Amino acid sequence: MNSRKKVAVLAASMVLSTSLSAFAMPLEKVGTGFAKNVIVLIPDGMSQGGVTLTRWLYNEGAPLNLDGITSGLVRTNNSDTPIADSAPAGTAMATGHKTQDKLIAVKGKAATLYGSNSDDVKEALAPLATVLELAKTQGKAAGLVVTSEIMHATPADFSAHAVNRKNYNDISEQQVFQNMDVVFGGGYKFFTAADREDKQDLISEIKGQGYQLVADKKQFDAITDGKVFGLFAPSDLPYELDRKQDEPALPEMTSKAIQLLSKDKDGFFLMVEGSKVDWAAHNNAPAALTADIKAFDDAVGMALNYAKTNKDTLVIVASDHGNGGISMGNEATSGNYSTLPINAFTDTLKKVQMTEETLAKAIIKNEEHTSDLIKTNFGFVPTEAELNTVIAADSQGAKMKALRTILNKRSNLGWTTGGHTGEDVALYVYANNYKNQLTGTVQNSDIGKYIAKAIGGELDKTSEQLFVPSTAFGKYGVKCAVDNSDAKNPSFVLTKNGHSYKFQENRNYFVGPEGKVTFNGVVVYNDKEVFIPQEALKMLK
Ligand SMILES: [Zn+2]
């Protein structure tokens, strides 16, 4: 090797070591226990192209609330694949551990990519404590605000543990027994006996626990105090563009949640998700997407308003992954992109009054008025060619596709996929002191670690406290038998010194010789092993 080559190799290795330490530094520099309150806001599946378009469309190009707190980039990969889905991506943010597809706050079976933790595989599918659960152990109030059903992947990642995101039975039951203070979103039907596989009536359970159960805007507005479950739809809430006056908007729910949670003298943790940013991106639907990003940005504004007058509040915002690959500019603009004026991108979308989903439904009911319906609700008279594509589309899905293709073409927008994308997403942080700000290119799992550090806790220690595996019950002098007589509602009989105690999957209490005793945390059963909080095991006599 000649000397010039040696220098080049040396320089390359220096760059590598510098960039590695630069990656590790931001979190290490952050102080411990600097925040009493934490508000995490997640615009699910928000790619940066959507933010740029929203800024032009709704703010004439002036900064959004988000723009004031830009802090870095987030790497979103799973422990074993580069493109994330919400379940593992939200798990990383909630627990500080990268994991695999479908998993809700449990350890993965594979850790092959950079940023994952190979030790996790040794305890695959064991539950991981979330920042919400950590906050609860510190006596803080906790809340979730979403526009999907609340058992959807992202809110589930913060409040439940399951080996599959589709397991709404377990996820929703844990959410009811997680002792949260404020829950706003959709998903009423998944709590009803009629819609549950296990036939449990969790609506009665919610009421029995002293929650105020609210279902519309009027009841929502009347709430001023206490614990509340607000379930405003059987499953997901409408897109912002389709939202009706009697349904609360995301910024209103965020503001109300802060108002209620901030009454706790120990502080609070709140997770807010702009859930349907992701759904609009999957559909490549530009009007639905930008309206939901705008509503999300308004929710960020609510959080910042609070944090600016309550300096012990940390606000952190990051999407969980990209979606759709939206771009201003598409194949048709390859030759003229630099001369296109701003209204070539915004004029059409500014006049859109409803999502293409709602318009497609209206057109199917009234096919002969397709042109008028487009004119009234999308704000332009379709060309004959455009009209023909909508009329020829023979299903609701096909009509939706025809309508959004027209919007995208008229707005010079491109999309690369109907699925998620693997690029980094933006990190936004508002901390009370610049020294405590998470910056740089970080891992999604650093967000969970950062929040834990901010409130002076440790997630892995909390996992040990909240989830003692049955293989370790011997240390507490306890024997455990699984009772599967009700297959949909397994229970666990723990015995100690001749006394027996019955625990139930997903719940926060046991029934022993002295009756029902509640504890902090929930019983988690991954169909192989049961995990019970240390606090509960220590209560057994
Ligand atoms: Zn997602």
Side-chain angles (χ1 to χ4, degrees), residues 444-484:
N444 49 7
S445 48
D446 286 335
I447 291 174
K449 291 174 190 160
Y450 173 62
I451 293 168
K453 206 170 175 190
I455 58 175
E458 278 182 50
L459 284 163
D460 290 345
K461 206 174 268 178
T462 309
S463 290
E464 283 171 30
Q465 288 164 0
L466 288 181
F467 308 110
V468 178
S470 51
T471 49
F473 287 179
K475 279 185 218 160
Y476 300 85
V478 170
K479 284 207 170 101
C480 174
V482 183
D483 176 357
N484 263 326

mmCIF file of all heavy atoms in Angstrom, residues 444-484:
data_model
loop_
_atom_site.group_PDB
_atom_site.id
_atom_site.type_symbol
_atom_site.label_atom_id
_atom_site.label_comp_id
_atom_site.label_asym_id
_atom_site.label_seq_id
_atom_site.Cartn_x
_atom_site.Cartn_y
_atom_site.Cartn_z
ATOM 1 N N ASN A 444 -35.004 5.386 15.822
ATOM 2 C CA ASN A 444 -36.347 5.483 16.418
ATOM 3 C C ASN A 444 -36.329 5.006 17.879
ATOM 4 O O ASN A 444 -37.004 5.569 18.737
ATOM 5 C CB ASN A 444 -37.393 4.724 15.586
ATOM 6 C CG ASN A 444 -36.979 3.308 15.209
ATOM 7 O OD1 ASN A 444 -35.947 2.799 15.668
ATOM 8 N ND2 ASN A 444 -37.786 2.673 14.382
ATOM 9 N N SER A 445 -35.485 4.005 18.168
ATOM 10 C CA SER A 445 -35.407 3.495 19.544
ATOM 11 C C SER A 445 -34.772 4.508 20.499
ATOM 12 O O SER A 445 -35.008 4.459 21.709
ATOM 13 C CB SER A 445 -34.623 2.180 19.567
ATOM 14 O OG SER A 445 -33.422 2.309 18.834
ATOM 15 N N ASP A 446 -33.976 5.454 19.958
ATOM 16 C CA ASP A 446 -33.413 6.507 20.827
ATOM 17 C C ASP A 446 -34.513 7.399 21.399
ATOM 18 O O ASP A 446 -34.328 8.010 22.463
ATOM 19 C CB ASP A 446 -32.433 7.383 20.036
ATOM 20 C CG ASP A 446 -31.109 6.679 19.765
ATOM 21 O OD1 ASP A 446 -30.752 5.774 20.544
ATOM 22 O OD2 ASP A 446 -30.441 7.035 18.777
ATOM 23 N N ILE A 447 -35.633 7.499 20.690
ATOM 24 C CA ILE A 447 -36.717 8.369 21.163
ATOM 25 C C ILE A 447 -37.271 7.850 22.490
ATOM 26 O O ILE A 447 -37.457 8.609 23.440
ATOM 27 C CB ILE A 447 -37.811 8.510 20.083
ATOM 28 C CG1 ILE A 447 -37.237 9.322 18.910
ATOM 29 C CG2 ILE A 447 -39.077 9.157 20.638
ATOM 30 C CD1 ILE A 447 -38.135 9.430 17.698
ATOM 31 N N GLY A 448 -37.508 6.542 22.571
ATOM 32 C CA GLY A 448 -37.984 5.959 23.833
ATOM 33 C C GLY A 448 -36.977 6.157 24.949
ATOM 34 O O GLY A 448 -37.342 6.536 26.077
ATOM 35 N N LYS A 449 -35.700 5.915 24.635
ATOM 36 C CA LYS A 449 -34.654 6.078 25.651
ATOM 37 C C LYS A 449 -34.561 7.533 26.110
ATOM 38 O O LYS A 449 -34.347 7.820 27.298
ATOM 39 C CB LYS A 449 -33.296 5.635 25.076
ATOM 40 C CG LYS A 449 -33.189 4.143 24.835
ATOM 41 C CD LYS A 449 -31.876 3.813 24.137
ATOM 42 C CE LYS A 449 -31.860 2.364 23.666
ATOM 43 N NZ LYS A 449 -30.848 2.141 22.612
ATOM 44 N N TYR A 450 -34.711 8.444 25.169
ATOM 45 C CA TYR A 450 -34.638 9.879 25.460
ATOM 46 C C TYR A 450 -35.785 10.314 26.377
ATOM 47 O O TYR A 450 -35.578 11.045 27.355
ATOM 48 C CB TYR A 450 -34.692 10.631 24.127
ATOM 49 C CG TYR A 450 -34.804 12.128 24.206
ATOM 50 C CD1 TYR A 450 -33.813 12.902 24.798
ATOM 51 C CD2 TYR A 450 -35.897 12.781 23.638
ATOM 52 C CE1 TYR A 450 -33.908 14.289 24.828
ATOM 53 C CE2 TYR A 450 -36.010 14.164 23.658
ATOM 54 C CZ TYR A 450 -35.005 14.913 24.249
ATOM 55 O OH TYR A 450 -35.107 16.280 24.272
ATOM 56 N N ILE A 451 -36.982 9.837 26.092
ATOM 57 C CA ILE A 451 -38.143 10.200 26.929
ATOM 58 C C ILE A 451 -37.937 9.662 28.347
ATOM 59 O O ILE A 451 -38.176 10.366 29.332
ATOM 60 C CB ILE A 451 -39.454 9.657 26.311
ATOM 61 C CG1 ILE A 451 -39.749 10.370 24.996
ATOM 62 C CG2 ILE A 451 -40.620 9.816 27.298
ATOM 63 C CD1 ILE A 451 -40.854 9.727 24.175
ATOM 64 N N ALA A 452 -37.464 8.403 28.430
ATOM 65 C CA ALA A 452 -37.229 7.807 29.759
ATOM 66 C C ALA A 452 -36.211 8.636 30.536
ATOM 67 O O ALA A 452 -36.407 8.953 31.719
ATOM 68 C CB ALA A 452 -36.743 6.369 29.603
ATOM 69 N N LYS A 453 -35.147 9.035 29.852
ATOM 70 C CA LYS A 453 -34.105 9.842 30.489
ATOM 71 C C LYS A 453 -34.675 11.198 30.926
ATOM 72 O O LYS A 453 -34.376 11.699 32.011
ATOM 73 C CB LYS A 453 -32.965 10.039 29.482
ATOM 74 C CG LYS A 453 -31.639 10.281 30.130
ATOM 75 C CD LYS A 453 -30.516 10.227 29.104
ATOM 76 C CE LYS A 453 -29.213 10.612 29.798
ATOM 77 N NZ LYS A 453 -28.107 10.810 28.880
ATOM 78 N N ALA A 454 -35.507 11.769 30.067
ATOM 79 C CA ALA A 454 -36.092 13.085 30.351
ATOM 80 C C ALA A 454 -36.918 13.067 31.635
ATOM 81 O O ALA A 454 -36.930 14.044 32.385
ATOM 82 C CB ALA A 454 -36.951 13.536 29.177
ATOM 83 N N ILE A 455 -37.602 11.946 31.906
ATOM 84 C CA ILE A 455 -38.420 11.892 33.126
ATOM 85 C C ILE A 455 -37.676 11.154 34.248
ATOM 86 O O ILE A 455 -38.270 10.822 35.287
ATOM 87 C CB ILE A 455 -39.827 11.292 32.883
ATOM 88 C CG1 ILE A 455 -39.762 9.876 32.295
ATOM 89 C CG2 ILE A 455 -40.643 12.200 31.985
ATOM 90 C CD1 ILE A 455 -41.134 9.205 32.151
ATOM 91 N N GLY A 456 -36.398 10.897 34.045
ATOM 92 C CA GLY A 456 -35.567 10.329 35.111
ATOM 93 C C GLY A 456 -35.875 8.875 35.407
ATOM 94 O O GLY A 456 -35.799 8.428 36.552
ATOM 95 N N GLY A 457 -36.217 8.098 34.365
ATOM 96 C CA GLY A 457 -36.501 6.675 34.564
ATOM 97 C C GLY A 457 -35.688 5.810 33.629
ATOM 98 O O GLY A 457 -34.969 6.321 32.770
ATOM 99 N N GLU A 458 -35.809 4.490 33.827
ATOM 100 C CA GLU A 458 -35.096 3.550 32.949
ATOM 101 C C GLU A 458 -36.072 2.491 32.461
ATOM 102 O O GLU A 458 -36.688 1.788 33.255
ATOM 103 C CB GLU A 458 -33.955 2.876 33.715
ATOM 104 C CG GLU A 458 -32.703 3.708 33.786
ATOM 105 C CD GLU A 458 -31.589 2.976 34.507
ATOM 106 O OE1 GLU A 458 -31.334 1.801 34.152
ATOM 107 O OE2 GLU A 458 -31.015 3.567 35.424
ATOM 108 N N LEU A 459 -36.166 2.374 31.151
ATOM 109 C CA LEU A 459 -37.152 1.455 30.578
ATOM 110 C C LEU A 459 -36.834 -0.007 30.875
ATOM 111 O O LEU A 459 -37.735 -0.783 31.211
ATOM 112 C CB LEU A 459 -37.248 1.681 29.066
ATOM 113 C CG LEU A 459 -38.026 2.936 28.667
ATOM 114 C CD1 LEU A 459 -37.737 3.316 27.222
ATOM 115 C CD2 LEU A 459 -39.530 2.735 28.874
ATOM 116 N N ASP A 460 -35.572 -0.405 30.753
ATOM 117 C CA ASP A 460 -35.252 -1.819 30.949
ATOM 118 C C ASP A 460 -35.478 -2.238 32.398
ATOM 119 O O ASP A 460 -35.952 -3.344 32.675
ATOM 120 C CB ASP A 460 -33.825 -2.125 30.478
ATOM 121 C CG ASP A 460 -33.714 -2.049 28.946
ATOM 122 O OD1 ASP A 460 -34.770 -2.049 28.290
ATOM 123 O OD2 ASP A 460 -32.592 -1.970 28.434
ATOM 124 N N LYS A 461 -35.180 -1.337 33.333
ATOM 125 C CA LYS A 461 -35.446 -1.613 34.746
ATOM 126 C C LYS A 461 -36.967 -1.747 34.967
ATOM 127 O O LYS A 461 -37.430 -2.613 35.705
ATOM 128 C CB LYS A 461 -34.870 -0.468 35.600
ATOM 129 C CG LYS A 461 -34.509 -0.886 37.000
ATOM 130 C CD LYS A 461 -33.805 0.228 37.748
ATOM 131 C CE LYS A 461 -32.287 0.168 37.626
ATOM 132 N NZ LYS A 461 -31.626 1.289 38.335
ATOM 133 N N THR A 462 -37.720 -0.885 34.300
ATOM 134 C CA THR A 462 -39.185 -0.938 34.418
ATOM 135 C C THR A 462 -39.726 -2.238 33.820
ATOM 136 O O THR A 462 -40.662 -2.834 34.373
ATOM 137 C CB THR A 462 -39.819 0.289 33.729
ATOM 138 O OG1 THR A 462 -39.178 1.461 34.229
ATOM 139 C CG2 THR A 462 -41.311 0.372 34.003
ATOM 140 N N SER A 463 -39.117 -2.702 32.729
ATOM 141 C CA SER A 463 -39.532 -3.999 32.150
ATOM 142 C C SER A 463 -39.343 -5.112 33.177
ATOM 143 O O SER A 463 -40.212 -5.978 33.339
ATOM 144 C CB SER A 463 -38.708 -4.334 30.901
ATOM 145 O OG SER A 463 -39.044 -3.488 29.838
ATOM 146 N N GLU A 464 -38.210 -5.105 33.880
ATOM 147 C CA GLU A 464 -37.956 -6.143 34.896
ATOM 148 C C GLU A 464 -38.995 -6.084 36.013
ATOM 149 O O GLU A 464 -39.422 -7.113 36.529
ATOM 150 C CB GLU A 464 -36.561 -5.954 35.513
ATOM 151 C CG GLU A 464 -35.439 -6.434 34.613
ATOM 152 C CD GLU A 464 -34.075 -6.033 35.159
ATOM 153 O OE1 GLU A 464 -33.924 -5.915 36.403
ATOM 154 O OE2 GLU A 464 -33.162 -5.824 34.334
ATOM 155 N N GLN A 465 -39.399 -4.856 36.375
ATOM 156 C CA GLN A 465 -40.382 -4.710 37.462
ATOM 157 C C GLN A 465 -41.792 -5.120 37.031
ATOM 158 O O GLN A 465 -42.526 -5.731 37.790
ATOM 159 C CB GLN A 465 -40.414 -3.253 37.946
ATOM 160 C CG GLN A 465 -39.177 -2.872 38.737
ATOM 161 C CD GLN A 465 -39.016 -1.359 38.871
ATOM 162 O OE1 GLN A 465 -39.826 -0.586 38.372
ATOM 163 N NE2 GLN A 465 -37.956 -0.945 39.558
ATOM 164 N N LEU A 466 -42.145 -4.773 35.802
ATOM 165 C CA LEU A 466 -43.533 -4.984 35.366
ATOM 166 C C LEU A 466 -43.792 -6.373 34.786
ATOM 167 O O LEU A 466 -44.926 -6.821 34.745
ATOM 168 C CB LEU A 466 -43.932 -3.928 34.322
ATOM 169 C CG LEU A 466 -44.153 -2.511 34.831
ATOM 170 C CD1 LEU A 466 -44.558 -1.590 33.682
ATOM 171 C CD2 LEU A 466 -45.225 -2.461 35.923
ATOM 172 N N PHE A 467 -42.723 -7.047 34.325
ATOM 173 C CA PHE A 467 -42.947 -8.309 33.599
ATOM 174 C C PHE A 467 -42.028 -9.424 34.083
ATOM 175 O O PHE A 467 -41.080 -9.797 33.404
ATOM 176 C CB PHE A 467 -42.767 -8.081 32.093
ATOM 177 C CG PHE A 467 -43.587 -6.933 31.569
ATOM 178 C CD1 PHE A 467 -42.985 -5.754 31.155
ATOM 179 C CD2 PHE A 467 -44.975 -7.021 31.527
ATOM 180 C CE1 PHE A 467 -43.744 -4.686 30.702
ATOM 181 C CE2 PHE A 467 -45.740 -5.965 31.072
ATOM 182 C CZ PHE A 467 -45.121 -4.779 30.657
ATOM 183 N N VAL A 468 -42.341 -9.969 35.246
ATOM 184 C CA VAL A 468 -41.574 -11.118 35.744
ATOM 185 C C VAL A 468 -42.119 -12.362 35.031
ATOM 186 O O VAL A 468 -43.319 -12.635 35.086
ATOM 187 C CB VAL A 468 -41.737 -11.280 37.268
ATOM 188 C CG1 VAL A 468 -40.969 -12.506 37.749
ATOM 189 C CG2 VAL A 468 -41.289 -10.013 37.990
ATOM 190 N N PRO A 469 -41.244 -13.116 34.317
ATOM 191 C CA PRO A 469 -41.728 -14.312 33.615
ATOM 192 C C PRO A 469 -42.034 -15.445 34.591
ATOM 193 O O PRO A 469 -41.417 -15.530 35.663
ATOM 194 C CB PRO A 469 -40.547 -14.684 32.707
ATOM 195 C CG PRO A 469 -39.345 -14.121 33.380
ATOM 196 C CD PRO A 469 -39.793 -12.904 34.152
ATOM 197 N N SER A 470 -42.969 -16.322 34.223
ATOM 198 C CA SER A 470 -43.377 -17.406 35.135
ATOM 199 C C SER A 470 -42.187 -18.304 35.509
ATOM 200 O O SER A 470 -42.166 -18.876 36.595
ATOM 201 C CB SER A 470 -44.508 -18.231 34.513
ATOM 202 O OG SER A 470 -44.161 -18.631 33.211
ATOM 203 N N THR A 471 -41.180 -18.373 34.620
ATOM 204 C CA THR A 471 -39.992 -19.177 34.938
ATOM 205 C C THR A 471 -39.240 -18.636 36.151
ATOM 206 O O THR A 471 -38.438 -19.348 36.748
ATOM 207 C CB THR A 471 -39.021 -19.194 33.731
ATOM 208 O OG1 THR A 471 -38.834 -17.850 33.290
ATOM 209 C CG2 THR A 471 -39.544 -20.055 32.602
ATOM 210 N N ALA A 472 -39.496 -17.384 36.525
ATOM 211 C CA ALA A 472 -38.798 -16.778 37.665
ATOM 212 C C ALA A 472 -39.692 -16.661 38.906
ATOM 213 O O ALA A 472 -39.285 -16.090 39.924
ATOM 214 C CB ALA A 472 -38.270 -15.396 37.275
ATOM 215 N N PHE A 473 -40.922 -17.212 38.843
ATOM 216 C CA PHE A 473 -41.837 -17.077 39.994
ATOM 217 C C PHE A 473 -41.284 -17.791 41.225
ATOM 218 O O PHE A 473 -41.612 -17.425 42.359
ATOM 219 C CB PHE A 473 -43.226 -17.630 39.662
ATOM 220 C CG PHE A 473 -44.035 -16.773 38.720
ATOM 221 C CD1 PHE A 473 -45.311 -17.174 38.326
ATOM 222 C CD2 PHE A 473 -43.534 -15.575 38.229
ATOM 223 C CE1 PHE A 473 -46.064 -16.393 37.459
ATOM 224 C CE2 PHE A 473 -44.277 -14.793 37.350
ATOM 225 C CZ PHE A 473 -45.542 -15.212 36.968
ATOM 226 N N GLY A 474 -40.458 -18.848 41.008
ATOM 227 C CA GLY A 474 -39.881 -19.597 42.122
ATOM 228 C C GLY A 474 -39.150 -18.706 43.124
ATOM 229 O O GLY A 474 -39.221 -18.923 44.324
ATOM 230 N N LYS A 475 -38.503 -17.681 42.596
ATOM 231 C CA LYS A 475 -37.773 -16.730 43.454
ATOM 232 C C LYS A 475 -38.695 -16.056 44.465
ATOM 233 O O LYS A 475 -38.251 -15.537 45.486
ATOM 234 C CB LYS A 475 -37.148 -15.620 42.595
ATOM 235 C CG LYS A 475 -35.845 -16.010 41.932
ATOM 236 C CD LYS A 475 -35.259 -14.792 41.215
ATOM 237 C CE LYS A 475 -34.622 -15.222 39.911
ATOM 238 N NZ LYS A 475 -34.469 -14.110 38.963
ATOM 239 N N TYR A 476 -39.983 -16.004 44.136
ATOM 240 C CA TYR A 476 -40.960 -15.363 45.028
ATOM 241 C C TYR A 476 -41.725 -16.409 45.834
ATOM 242 O O TYR A 476 -42.723 -16.105 46.481
ATOM 243 C CB TYR A 476 -41.934 -14.501 44.205
ATOM 244 C CG TYR A 476 -41.224 -13.402 43.439
ATOM 245 C CD1 TYR A 476 -40.670 -13.650 42.186
ATOM 246 C CD2 TYR A 476 -41.070 -12.126 43.991
ATOM 247 C CE1 TYR A 476 -39.987 -12.657 41.501
ATOM 248 C CE2 TYR A 476 -40.393 -11.128 43.306
ATOM 249 C CZ TYR A 476 -39.850 -11.405 42.065
ATOM 250 O OH TYR A 476 -39.170 -10.424 41.395
ATOM 251 N N GLY A 477 -41.249 -17.685 45.752
ATOM 252 C CA GLY A 477 -41.912 -18.772 46.479
ATOM 253 C C GLY A 477 -43.291 -19.094 45.924
ATOM 254 O O GLY A 477 -44.171 -19.578 46.637
ATOM 255 N N VAL A 478 -43.473 -18.808 44.621
ATOM 256 C CA VAL A 478 -44.803 -18.918 44.017
ATOM 257 C C VAL A 478 -44.802 -19.996 42.941
ATOM 258 O O VAL A 478 -43.870 -20.104 42.157
ATOM 259 C CB VAL A 478 -45.201 -17.557 43.388
ATOM 260 C CG1 VAL A 478 -46.461 -17.692 42.555
ATOM 261 C CG2 VAL A 478 -45.381 -16.504 44.474
ATOM 262 N N LYS A 479 -45.863 -20.820 42.903
ATOM 263 C CA LYS A 479 -46.067 -21.781 41.811
ATOM 264 C C LYS A 479 -47.222 -21.276 40.947
ATOM 265 O O LYS A 479 -48.142 -20.616 41.444
ATOM 266 C CB LYS A 479 -46.408 -23.158 42.382
ATOM 267 C CG LYS A 479 -45.200 -23.880 42.960
ATOM 268 C CD LYS A 479 -45.423 -25.400 42.897
ATOM 269 C CE LYS A 479 -44.133 -26.128 43.245
ATOM 270 N NZ LYS A 479 -44.128 -26.625 44.635
ATOM 271 N N CYS A 480 -47.178 -21.611 39.669
ATOM 272 C CA CYS A 480 -48.190 -21.069 38.742
ATOM 273 C C CYS A 480 -48.789 -22.173 37.885
ATOM 274 O O CYS A 480 -48.066 -22.995 37.325
ATOM 275 C CB CYS A 480 -47.537 -20.017 37.850
ATOM 276 S SG CYS A 480 -48.620 -19.378 36.552
ATOM 277 N N ALA A 481 -50.127 -22.218 37.784
ATOM 278 C CA ALA A 481 -50.799 -23.151 36.878
ATOM 279 C C ALA A 481 -51.702 -22.349 35.935
ATOM 280 O O ALA A 481 -52.384 -21.416 36.361
ATOM 281 C CB ALA A 481 -51.633 -24.139 37.678
ATOM 282 N N VAL A 482 -51.684 -22.731 34.673
ATOM 283 C CA VAL A 482 -52.527 -22.045 33.681
ATOM 284 C C VAL A 482 -53.900 -22.704 33.682
ATOM 285 O O VAL A 482 -54.007 -23.926 33.651
ATOM 286 C CB VAL A 482 -51.911 -22.134 32.264
ATOM 287 C CG1 VAL A 482 -52.758 -21.361 31.257
ATOM 288 C CG2 VAL A 482 -50.477 -21.615 32.265
ATOM 289 N N ASP A 483 -54.934 -21.896 33.736
ATOM 290 C CA ASP A 483 -56.303 -22.414 33.668
ATOM 291 C C ASP A 483 -56.903 -21.999 32.333
ATOM 292 O O ASP A 483 -57.270 -20.845 32.134
ATOM 293 C CB ASP A 483 -57.122 -21.843 34.841
ATOM 294 C CG ASP A 483 -58.583 -22.269 34.782
ATOM 295 O OD1 ASP A 483 -58.977 -22.956 33.812
ATOM 296 O OD2 ASP A 483 -59.331 -21.910 35.710
ATOM 297 N N ASN A 484 -56.976 -22.974 31.401
ATOM 298 C CA ASN A 484 -57.484 -22.680 30.060
ATOM 299 C C ASN A 484 -58.931 -23.134 29.876
ATOM 300 O O ASN A 484 -59.387 -23.292 28.745
ATOM 301 C CB ASN A 484 -56.597 -23.363 29.009
ATOM 302 C CG ASN A 484 -55.563 -22.397 28.447
ATOM 303 O OD1 ASN A 484 -55.836 -21.205 28.321
ATOM 304 N ND2 ASN A 484 -54.392 -22.907 28.123
#
